[in-house]
Amino acid sequence: MKIIIDDDIPFIKGVLERYCDVEYMKGEDICPENVKDADAMMVRTWTVCDASLLSGSKVRFVATATAGMNHIDTDWCRRNGIYTANAPGCNAMGVVQYLYTALFCVAELKGISLKGKKIGIIGAGNVGGRAAAIAPKFGLVPVVCDPPRAAVEGPEGFHDLQELLGISDIVTLHVPLYEGTYRMADENFFSKMPKNTIFVNASRGDTVDEAALARHLEDFSALVLDVWHGEPHVSEMLVQAADIATPHIAGYSLAGKVNATAAAVRAFADFASIDALKGFYPETGLGKEAVSRFLDTEGSQSEVAGRLADIFPINEESALLKAAPGDFGRLRTEYQYRTEFYV
């Protein structure tokens, strides 16, 4: 069996070689010509897996070492007998870490007190659910909107979107991208938010109408953006306008990458009936503290902000993108996976 693997998936080299004919290549170099004789693929978000890539190939398995699957046409794959797999929740705590590190960073930069503020969390899945659960540890009050969960679990504990926008001091998006969330943050959305709200988007760039966002820049007390329309060709104006601007690295924690690689390999092991790899977990060669560190949330806001920045110097990452917005792709590709926290 031949498998093509994105060369930038970490901790995977040497894992499958004894079972398969393995070919590594850069995600952007994967094309119809070099997948036509492959049986399986392991990719990241750089590789769009649809009819234009896979039609006429031997491929019957595609795993993405990412939480999201927007780059895979799962309907087309299913109709054509191609099994697909992803790593849901693999980087959820990394995104939660990004959210709270960014909030405490901008609060310190702009003299904003976060204590007792309402954090409006739109989407309470793997990321949003965790963000809501630990909000009280940071002195914040979670306000949650998740219509699919509310429909199943009942309305208690959930707010509708209009109510959330009207009462929240912080609004943060944690929704997947599909027709119902495409540009959901539009003119009407931003007009419902009170003045001096903090707005964060670390979900998908196209959940936001960037033209509407631009018209409301002066309404925010702080703006944090990790995801963008048209990546890697992003709006330089919005990069400079945001208080924190980063190149889609919210989920780029070491733990998240380890989890994603583990999920992809395990999915392939199930597909190919490789019993020895069905419980696979990568050996990083790094100490436990390099993967996840305890975060003490007790103390003043400045003390907590300092501890967060010590683990993840987010302002330095933002400065790199602000200095060279045109290097978005390179900055994302060369990003050094960071340590997560747990509380």
PDB file of all heavy atoms in Angstrom, residues 100-125:
ATOM      1  N   TYR A 100      -7.575  33.035  25.970  1.00  0.00           N
ATOM      2  CA  TYR A 100      -7.350  33.695  27.264  1.00  0.00           C
ATOM      3  C   TYR A 100      -6.018  34.435  27.310  1.00  0.00           C
ATOM      4  O   TYR A 100      -5.921  35.492  27.954  1.00  0.00           O
ATOM      5  CB  TYR A 100      -7.492  32.680  28.396  1.00  0.00           C
ATOM      6  CG  TYR A 100      -8.943  32.316  28.620  1.00  0.00           C
ATOM      7  CD1 TYR A 100      -9.435  31.064  28.276  1.00  0.00           C
ATOM      8  CD2 TYR A 100      -9.835  33.261  29.116  1.00  0.00           C
ATOM      9  CE1 TYR A 100     -10.780  30.757  28.442  1.00  0.00           C
ATOM     10  CE2 TYR A 100     -11.175  32.971  29.290  1.00  0.00           C
ATOM     11  CZ  TYR A 100     -11.643  31.710  28.940  1.00  0.00           C
ATOM     12  OH  TYR A 100     -12.982  31.427  29.098  1.00  0.00           O
ATOM     13  N   THR A 101      -5.021  33.926  26.625  1.00  0.00           N
ATOM     14  CA  THR A 101      -3.756  34.669  26.566  1.00  0.00           C
ATOM     15  C   THR A 101      -3.954  35.991  25.840  1.00  0.00           C
ATOM     16  O   THR A 101      -3.452  37.036  26.289  1.00  0.00           O
ATOM     17  CB  THR A 101      -2.672  33.836  25.853  1.00  0.00           C
ATOM     18  OG1 THR A 101      -2.506  32.590  26.539  1.00  0.00           O
ATOM     19  CG2 THR A 101      -1.343  34.567  25.837  1.00  0.00           C
ATOM     20  N   ALA A 102      -4.697  35.963  24.739  1.00  0.00           N
ATOM     21  CA  ALA A 102      -4.963  37.196  23.988  1.00  0.00           C
ATOM     22  C   ALA A 102      -5.779  38.183  24.815  1.00  0.00           C
ATOM     23  O   ALA A 102      -5.490  39.390  24.830  1.00  0.00           O
ATOM     24  CB  ALA A 102      -5.680  36.862  22.686  1.00  0.00           C
ATOM     25  N   LEU A 103      -6.794  37.694  25.511  1.00  0.00           N
ATOM     26  CA  LEU A 103      -7.640  38.587  26.305  1.00  0.00           C
ATOM     27  C   LEU A 103      -6.841  39.281  27.409  1.00  0.00           C
ATOM     28  O   LEU A 103      -6.967  40.496  27.618  1.00  0.00           O
ATOM     29  CB  LEU A 103      -8.806  37.807  26.916  1.00  0.00           C
ATOM     30  CG  LEU A 103      -9.907  37.350  25.960  1.00  0.00           C
ATOM     31  CD1 LEU A 103     -10.948  36.538  26.704  1.00  0.00           C
ATOM     32  CD2 LEU A 103     -10.561  38.557  25.276  1.00  0.00           C
ATOM     33  N   PHE A 104      -6.016  38.524  28.126  1.00  0.00           N
ATOM     34  CA  PHE A 104      -5.239  39.133  29.198  1.00  0.00           C
ATOM     35  C   PHE A 104      -4.145  40.045  28.645  1.00  0.00           C
ATOM     36  O   PHE A 104      -3.795  41.053  29.265  1.00  0.00           O
ATOM     37  CB  PHE A 104      -4.659  38.054  30.114  1.00  0.00           C
ATOM     38  CG  PHE A 104      -5.617  37.613  31.171  1.00  0.00           C
ATOM     39  CD1 PHE A 104      -6.648  36.732  30.867  1.00  0.00           C
ATOM     40  CD2 PHE A 104      -5.527  38.091  32.464  1.00  0.00           C
ATOM     41  CE1 PHE A 104      -7.556  36.335  31.831  1.00  0.00           C
ATOM     42  CE2 PHE A 104      -6.429  37.708  33.450  1.00  0.00           C
ATOM     43  CZ  PHE A 104      -7.460  36.815  33.129  1.00  0.00           C
ATOM     44  N   CYS A 105      -3.631  39.710  27.465  1.00  0.00           N
ATOM     45  CA  CYS A 105      -2.628  40.575  26.836  1.00  0.00           C
ATOM     46  C   CYS A 105      -3.230  41.928  26.474  1.00  0.00           C
ATOM     47  O   CYS A 105      -2.676  42.975  26.840  1.00  0.00           O
ATOM     48  CB  CYS A 105      -2.061  39.890  25.588  1.00  0.00           C
ATOM     49  SG  CYS A 105      -0.853  40.889  24.693  1.00  0.00           S
ATOM     50  N   VAL A 106      -4.380  41.933  25.770  1.00  0.00           N
ATOM     51  CA  VAL A 106      -4.961  43.222  25.355  1.00  0.00           C
ATOM     52  C   VAL A 106      -5.496  43.985  26.556  1.00  0.00           C
ATOM     53  O   VAL A 106      -5.458  45.231  26.575  1.00  0.00           O
ATOM     54  CB  VAL A 106      -6.060  43.044  24.284  1.00  0.00           C
ATOM     55  CG1 VAL A 106      -5.477  42.486  22.995  1.00  0.00           C
ATOM     56  CG2 VAL A 106      -7.220  42.186  24.776  1.00  0.00           C
ATOM     57  N   ALA A 107      -5.958  43.258  27.574  1.00  0.00           N
ATOM     58  CA  ALA A 107      -6.444  43.943  28.777  1.00  0.00           C
ATOM     59  C   ALA A 107      -5.317  44.708  29.449  1.00  0.00           C
ATOM     60  O   ALA A 107      -5.497  45.857  29.892  1.00  0.00           O
ATOM     61  CB  ALA A 107      -7.058  42.934  29.743  1.00  0.00           C
ATOM     62  N   GLU A 108      -4.141  44.102  29.520  1.00  0.00           N
ATOM     63  CA  GLU A 108      -2.988  44.779  30.107  1.00  0.00           C
ATOM     64  C   GLU A 108      -2.511  45.932  29.226  1.00  0.00           C
ATOM     65  O   GLU A 108      -2.161  47.007  29.724  1.00  0.00           O
ATOM     66  CB  GLU A 108      -1.850  43.775  30.320  1.00  0.00           C
ATOM     67  CG  GLU A 108      -2.090  42.824  31.480  1.00  0.00           C
ATOM     68  CD  GLU A 108      -2.217  43.565  32.805  1.00  0.00           C
ATOM     69  OE1 GLU A 108      -1.193  44.061  33.318  1.00  0.00           O
ATOM     70  OE2 GLU A 108      -3.350  43.678  33.311  1.00  0.00           O
ATOM     71  N   LEU A 109      -2.504  45.718  27.925  1.00  0.00           N
ATOM     72  CA  LEU A 109      -2.045  46.766  26.998  1.00  0.00           C
ATOM     73  C   LEU A 109      -2.946  47.993  27.032  1.00  0.00           C
ATOM     74  O   LEU A 109      -2.473  49.124  26.894  1.00  0.00           O
ATOM     75  CB  LEU A 109      -1.979  46.222  25.571  1.00  0.00           C
ATOM     76  CG  LEU A 109      -0.871  45.207  25.255  1.00  0.00           C
ATOM     77  CD1 LEU A 109      -1.075  44.635  23.862  1.00  0.00           C
ATOM     78  CD2 LEU A 109       0.498  45.878  25.360  1.00  0.00           C
ATOM     79  N   LYS A 110      -4.253  47.778  27.244  1.00  0.00           N
ATOM     80  CA  LYS A 110      -5.222  48.871  27.095  1.00  0.00           C
ATOM     81  C   LYS A 110      -5.878  49.276  28.404  1.00  0.00           C
ATOM     82  O   LYS A 110      -6.810  50.092  28.412  1.00  0.00           O
ATOM     83  CB  LYS A 110      -6.274  48.473  26.057  1.00  0.00           C
ATOM     84  CG  LYS A 110      -5.658  47.990  24.746  1.00  0.00           C
ATOM     85  CD  LYS A 110      -6.628  47.910  23.605  1.00  0.00           C
ATOM     86  CE  LYS A 110      -6.800  49.257  22.938  1.00  0.00           C
ATOM     87  NZ  LYS A 110      -7.553  49.188  21.688  1.00  0.00           N
ATOM     88  N   GLY A 111      -5.410  48.713  29.517  1.00  0.00           N
ATOM     89  CA  GLY A 111      -5.942  49.118  30.811  1.00  0.00           C
ATOM     90  C   GLY A 111      -7.382  48.713  31.032  1.00  0.00           C
ATOM     91  O   GLY A 111      -8.168  49.452  31.642  1.00  0.00           O
ATOM     92  N   ILE A 112      -7.760  47.532  30.562  1.00  0.00           N
ATOM     93  CA  ILE A 112      -9.122  47.018  30.713  1.00  0.00           C
ATOM     94  C   ILE A 112      -9.146  46.013  31.864  1.00  0.00           C
ATOM     95  O   ILE A 112      -8.322  45.107  31.924  1.00  0.00           O
ATOM     96  CB  ILE A 112      -9.588  46.319  29.418  1.00  0.00           C
ATOM     97  CG1 ILE A 112      -9.567  47.294  28.231  1.00  0.00           C
ATOM     98  CG2 ILE A 112     -10.982  45.717  29.592  1.00  0.00           C
ATOM     99  CD1 ILE A 112      -9.754  46.616  26.883  1.00  0.00           C
ATOM    100  N   SER A 113     -10.084  46.146  32.761  1.00  0.00           N
ATOM    101  CA  SER A 113     -10.271  45.161  33.825  1.00  0.00           C
ATOM    102  C   SER A 113     -11.204  44.063  33.325  1.00  0.00           C
ATOM    103  O   SER A 113     -12.311  44.343  32.851  1.00  0.00           O
ATOM    104  CB  SER A 113     -10.858  45.811  35.067  1.00  0.00           C
ATOM    105  OG  SER A 113     -11.182  44.826  36.029  1.00  0.00           O
ATOM    106  N   LEU A 114     -10.763  42.820  33.429  1.00  0.00           N
ATOM    107  CA  LEU A 114     -11.577  41.698  32.957  1.00  0.00           C
ATOM    108  C   LEU A 114     -12.464  41.108  34.051  1.00  0.00           C
ATOM    109  O   LEU A 114     -13.428  40.395  33.742  1.00  0.00           O
ATOM    110  CB  LEU A 114     -10.672  40.590  32.414  1.00  0.00           C
ATOM    111  CG  LEU A 114      -9.871  40.913  31.150  1.00  0.00           C
ATOM    112  CD1 LEU A 114      -8.974  39.745  30.788  1.00  0.00           C
ATOM    113  CD2 LEU A 114     -10.790  41.254  29.988  1.00  0.00           C
ATOM    114  N   LYS A 115     -12.174  41.387  35.270  1.00  0.00           N
ATOM    115  CA  LYS A 115     -12.885  40.752  36.385  1.00  0.00           C
ATOM    116  C   LYS A 115     -14.391  40.997  36.299  1.00  0.00           C
ATOM    117  O   LYS A 115     -14.841  42.148  36.216  1.00  0.00           O
ATOM    118  CB  LYS A 115     -12.352  41.255  37.721  1.00  0.00           C
ATOM    119  CG  LYS A 115     -12.915  40.495  38.922  1.00  0.00           C
ATOM    120  CD  LYS A 115     -12.256  40.931  40.201  1.00  0.00           C
ATOM    121  CE  LYS A 115     -12.819  40.226  41.411  1.00  0.00           C
ATOM    122  NZ  LYS A 115     -12.674  38.760  41.336  1.00  0.00           N
ATOM    123  N   GLY A 116     -15.151  39.911  36.317  1.00  0.00           N
ATOM    124  CA  GLY A 116     -16.608  40.006  36.295  1.00  0.00           C
ATOM    125  C   GLY A 116     -17.208  40.271  34.932  1.00  0.00           C
ATOM    126  O   GLY A 116     -18.437  40.357  34.797  1.00  0.00           O
ATOM    127  N   LYS A 117     -16.383  40.403  33.901  1.00  0.00           N
ATOM    128  CA  LYS A 117     -16.900  40.667  32.561  1.00  0.00           C
ATOM    129  C   LYS A 117     -17.597  39.423  32.004  1.00  0.00           C
ATOM    130  O   LYS A 117     -17.220  38.290  32.277  1.00  0.00           O
ATOM    131  CB  LYS A 117     -15.769  41.076  31.614  1.00  0.00           C
ATOM    132  CG  LYS A 117     -15.134  42.426  31.941  1.00  0.00           C
ATOM    133  CD  LYS A 117     -16.086  43.580  31.620  1.00  0.00           C
ATOM    134  CE  LYS A 117     -15.384  44.934  31.592  1.00  0.00           C
ATOM    135  NZ  LYS A 117     -14.832  45.351  32.868  1.00  0.00           N
ATOM    136  N   LYS A 118     -18.622  39.661  31.187  1.00  0.00           N
ATOM    137  CA  LYS A 118     -19.345  38.581  30.519  1.00  0.00           C
ATOM    138  C   LYS A 118     -18.636  38.243  29.208  1.00  0.00           C
ATOM    139  O   LYS A 118     -18.427  39.125  28.378  1.00  0.00           O
ATOM    140  CB  LYS A 118     -20.789  38.979  30.233  1.00  0.00           C
ATOM    141  CG  LYS A 118     -21.663  39.155  31.470  1.00  0.00           C
ATOM    142  CD  LYS A 118     -23.098  39.435  31.066  1.00  0.00           C
ATOM    143  CE  LYS A 118     -24.022  39.527  32.273  1.00  0.00           C
ATOM    144  NZ  LYS A 118     -23.761  40.744  33.062  1.00  0.00           N
ATOM    145  N   ILE A 119     -18.270  36.967  29.035  1.00  0.00           N
ATOM    146  CA  ILE A 119     -17.640  36.520  27.806  1.00  0.00           C
ATOM    147  C   ILE A 119     -18.660  35.732  26.991  1.00  0.00           C
ATOM    148  O   ILE A 119     -19.103  34.647  27.381  1.00  0.00           O
ATOM    149  CB  ILE A 119     -16.354  35.702  28.063  1.00  0.00           C
ATOM    150  CG1 ILE A 119     -15.740  35.227  26.744  1.00  0.00           C
ATOM    151  CG2 ILE A 119     -16.577  34.545  29.030  1.00  0.00           C
ATOM    152  CD1 ILE A 119     -14.330  34.673  26.870  1.00  0.00           C
ATOM    153  N   GLY A 120     -19.078  36.313  25.877  1.00  0.00           N
ATOM    154  CA  GLY A 120     -20.058  35.694  24.997  1.00  0.00           C
ATOM    155  C   GLY A 120     -19.371  34.706  24.067  1.00  0.00           C
ATOM    156  O   GLY A 120     -18.590  35.105  23.197  1.00  0.00           O
ATOM    157  N   ILE A 121     -19.663  33.430  24.252  1.00  0.00           N
ATOM    158  CA  ILE A 121     -19.009  32.354  23.502  1.00  0.00           C
ATOM    159  C   ILE A 121     -20.004  31.803  22.493  1.00  0.00           C
ATOM    160  O   ILE A 121     -21.009  31.187  22.869  1.00  0.00           O
ATOM    161  CB  ILE A 121     -18.508  31.255  24.455  1.00  0.00           C
ATOM    162  CG1 ILE A 121     -17.468  31.840  25.417  1.00  0.00           C
ATOM    163  CG2 ILE A 121     -17.936  30.076  23.680  1.00  0.00           C
ATOM    164  CD1 ILE A 121     -17.127  30.934  26.576  1.00  0.00           C
ATOM    165  N   ILE A 122     -19.738  32.026  21.214  1.00  0.00           N
ATOM    166  CA  ILE A 122     -20.634  31.586  20.153  1.00  0.00           C
ATOM    167  C   ILE A 122     -20.084  30.281  19.585  1.00  0.00           C
ATOM    168  O   ILE A 122     -19.048  30.267  18.924  1.00  0.00           O
ATOM    169  CB  ILE A 122     -20.759  32.658  19.058  1.00  0.00           C
ATOM    170  CG1 ILE A 122     -21.258  33.970  19.666  1.00  0.00           C
ATOM    171  CG2 ILE A 122     -21.691  32.189  17.944  1.00  0.00           C
ATOM    172  CD1 ILE A 122     -21.237  35.143  18.696  1.00  0.00           C
ATOM    173  N   GLY A 123     -20.779  29.202  19.876  1.00  0.00           N
ATOM    174  CA  GLY A 123     -20.315  27.866  19.511  1.00  0.00           C
ATOM    175  C   GLY A 123     -19.689  27.203  20.713  1.00  0.00           C
ATOM    176  O   GLY A 123     -18.628  27.627  21.189  1.00  0.00           O
ATOM    177  N   ALA A 124     -20.337  26.162  21.241  1.00  0.00           N
ATOM    178  CA  ALA A 124     -19.864  25.518  22.471  1.00  0.00           C
ATOM    179  C   ALA A 124     -19.517  24.062  22.210  1.00  0.00           C
ATOM    180  O   ALA A 124     -19.926  23.162  22.949  1.00  0.00           O
ATOM    181  CB  ALA A 124     -20.911  25.633  23.576  1.00  0.00           C
ATOM    182  N   GLY A 125     -18.747  23.837  21.153  1.00  0.00           N
ATOM    183  CA  GLY A 125     -18.261  22.501  20.852  1.00  0.00           C
ATOM    184  C   GLY A 125     -16.973  22.212  21.591  1.00  0.00           C
ATOM    185  O   GLY A 125     -16.806  22.596  22.754  1.00  0.00           O
TER     186      GLY A 125
END
